[in-house]
């Protein structure tokens, strides 16, 4: 079994190009199911279990209060594992062949308004010193590029092209894309880099965004930063880097950007992923439709 799990991890990392975060999540889910089987069924070979074992795990997870969406994510990890075993001809049929995902309710992601964003930007307008300039740049870069939090954290110093006003980011499944940056952001790069160069110690020199100790910033630093600033201007429940990304897409669509362009900027593999942002623009779409259609003007 150890060989199967190791081979599966290699498959996800080398062939599927999954990120370290996704890789860890998949492997943890499989280990969790393996542990469940050992405890409840004294079975430690999960590539030979049936759907009854999986169903028992699902019932146990739900009973512990795990949300349906989280359960579905865990089962998706198992499904990927069994798909790998099928691909490598180690099993002939997946025990999840007829499994149906648990029903979930889509949580409406409410973007920030333009006023809220500009109120935050007003707060950091006169930023000075390393941390203030870094924070301002992070907020502005997330809002003007729509990049993911993970992409911002992993941004390499060598991939920031101030002269050509662009950055290269590494998205999901190690897919690279070039993002344009506004001239005002390129100017901020220069100011930040001057302060960055003055740090006493730089440990993670290859990464663009650092802490004052010279270490690469992490998820919690970016989340706390966004949550802190936007909490002063917004009463929305969720105030996270993902909501800023959602805001970026919504504001572009509201101001006439076409869906395909937004898709490319966000790094989505299909339009279906981008279309979730169109609901926020529905009122504007209705007004355009009403003004443009001959029957709407009567």
């Amino acid at each position: 079994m150890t060989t199967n799990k190791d081979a599966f991890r290699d498959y996800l990392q080398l062939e599927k190009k999954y990120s370290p975060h996704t890789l860890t999540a998949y492997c943890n889910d499989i280990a969790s199911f393996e542990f469940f089987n050992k405890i409840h069924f004294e079975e430690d070979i999960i590539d030979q279990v049936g759907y009854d074992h999986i169903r028992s795990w699902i019932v146990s997870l739900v009973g512990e209060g795990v949300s349906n969406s989280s359960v579905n994510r865990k089962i998706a990890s198992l499904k990927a594992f069994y798909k790998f075993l099928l691909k490598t001809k180690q099993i002939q049929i997946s025990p999840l062949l007829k499994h149906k995902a648990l029903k979930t309710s889509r949580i409406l992601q409410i973007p920030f308004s333009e006023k809220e964003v500009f109120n935050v930007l007003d707060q950091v307008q006169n930023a000075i010193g390393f941390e203030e300039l870094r924070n301002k740049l992070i907020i502005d870069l997330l809002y003007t590029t729509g990049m993911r939090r993970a992409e911002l954290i992993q941004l390499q110093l060598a991939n920031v092209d101030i002269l050509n006003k662009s950055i290269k980011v590494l998205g999901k499944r190690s897919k690279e894309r070039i993002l344009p940056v506004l001239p005002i952001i390129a100017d901020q790069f220069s100011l930040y880099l001057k302060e960055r160069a003055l740090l006493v110690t730089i440990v993670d020199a290859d990464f663009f965004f650092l802490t004052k100790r010279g270490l690469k910033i992490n998820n919690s630093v970016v989340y706390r930063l966004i949550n802190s600033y936007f909490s002063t201007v917004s009463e929305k429940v969720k105030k996270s880097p993902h909501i800023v990304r959602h805001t970026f897409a919504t504001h572009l669509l509201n101001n006439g950007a076409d869906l395909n362009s937004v898709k490319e900027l966000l790094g989505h593999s299909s339009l279906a992923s981008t279309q979730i942002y169109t609901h926020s623009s529905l009122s504007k779409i209705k007004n355009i439709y009403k003004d443009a259609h001959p029957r709407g003007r009567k």
Side-chain angles (χ1 to χ4, degrees):
M1 184 56 219
T2 302
T3 302
N4 279 342
K5 286 195 296 184
D6 289 345
F8 176 61
R9 185 184 183 92
D10 290 342
Y11 167 73
L12 294 180
Q13 183 176 18
L14 302 175
E15 291 192 37
K16 302 295 285 184
K17 305 293 185 183
Y18 282 1
S19 69
H21 176 76
T22 302
L23 198 66
T24 300
Y26 271 53
C27 293
N28 285 346
D29 291 337
I30 292 168
S32 177
F33 179 57
E34 184 179 30
F35 179 75
F36 176 84
N37 277 286
K38 285 180 180 178
I39 297 297
H40 295 276
F41 298 105
E42 297 184 356
E43 175 64 75
D44 60 359
I45 306 179
I46 68 170
D47 54 350
Q48 295 179 12
V49 304
Y51 184 63
D52 54 334
H53 295 78
I54 298 172
R55 186 172 56 220
S56 295
W57 188 44
I58 292 172
V59 171
S60 174
L61 290 170
V62 172
E64 293 170 5
V66 178
S67 69
N68 284 8
S69 60
S70 294
V71 172
N72 287 342
R73 183 189 59 76
K74 292 176 183 296
I75 298 303
S77 300
L78 270 190
K79 189 174 287 188
F81 177 67
Y82 288 120
K83 187 176 180 181
F84 167 74
L85 295 180
L86 280 170
K87 183 183 178 77
T88 53
K89 302 187 186 313
Q90 297 182 65
I91 60 173
Q92 293 183 337
I93 187 169
S94 169
L96 283 162
L97 182 64
K98 296 183 179 180
H99 172 74
K100 293 183 179 179
L102 303 183
K103 290 184 178 180
T104 58
S105 56
R106 183 180 289 277
I107 299 174
L108 188 64
Q109 303 284 352
I110 303 175
F112 298 116
S113 67
E114 290 188 22
K115 181 179 179 181
E116 287 172 332
V117 173
F118 282 104
N119 281 344
V120 167
L121 295 176
D122 283 343
Q123 289 182 36
V124 295
Q125 183 62 37
N126 299 315
I128 55 172
F130 171 74
E131 285 193 313
E132 285 189 13
L133 286 169
R134 181 202 64 191
N135 293 349
K136 177 184 180 182
L137 182 53
I138 286 175
I139 294 168
D140 237 336
L141 199 58
L142 288 173
Y143 176 60
T144 58
T145 67
M147 65 194 305
R148 299 177 178 94
R149 172 169 50 175
E151 293 169 346
L152 180 128
I153 291 169
Q154 297 297 330
L155 183 62
Q156 301 281 303
L157 183 64
N159 290 336
V160 174
D161 189 338
I162 298 177
L163 184 62
N164 291 311
K165 299 180 178 60
S166 66
I167 57 174
K168 182 194 294 183
V169 298
L170 192 64
K172 289 185 176 181
R173 302 188 182 183
S174 300
K175 185 179 178 181
E176 291 183 344
R177 71 185 188 281
I178 305 294
L179 294 176
V181 296
L182 299 173
I184 192 172
I185 307 301
D187 291 341
Q188 288 185 50
F189 283 156
S190 299
L191 292 173
Y192 164 73
L193 287 173
K194 286 179 181 178
E195 292 293 332
R196 182 185 183 279
L198 297 176
L199 291 175
V200 176
T201 304
I202 296 182
V203 180
D204 296 320
D206 291 340
F207 294 94
F208 187 76
F209 285 111
L210 303 176
T211 67
K212 61 183 179 182
R213 294 176 179 171
L215 300 170
K216 180 181 72 170
I217 58 171
N218 56 41
N219 283 328
S220 59
V221 168
V222 182
Y223 178 83
R224 287 197 306 268
L225 166 64
I226 296 301
N227 186 267
S228 174
Y229 277 101
F230 279 91
S231 289
T232 65
V233 302
S234 176
E235 295 183 357
K236 291 180 173 65
V237 175
K238 289 198 70 176
K239 295 176 278 287
S240 67
H242 182 71
I243 297 299
V244 178
R245 175 172 162 86
H246 186 72
T247 301
F248 161 82
T250 302
H251 289 182
L252 281 183
L253 291 168
N254 280 347
N255 286 284
D258 69 275
L259 202 58
N260 262 313
S261 296
V262 176
K263 166 185 169 292
E264 294 302 317
L265 288 168
L266 291 173
H268 286 159
S269 57
S270 70
L271 274 177
S273 300
T274 315
Q275 284 172 336
I276 64 170
Y277 298 105
T278 59
H279 72 83
S280 302
S281 307
L282 189 56
S283 59
K284 187 169 184 72
I285 292 171
K286 284 180 178 178
N287 289 331
I288 293 172
Y289 169 64
K290 183 179 177 181
D291 292 340
H293 198 281
R295 293 281 290 171
R297 297 194 293 268
K298 291 186 178 180

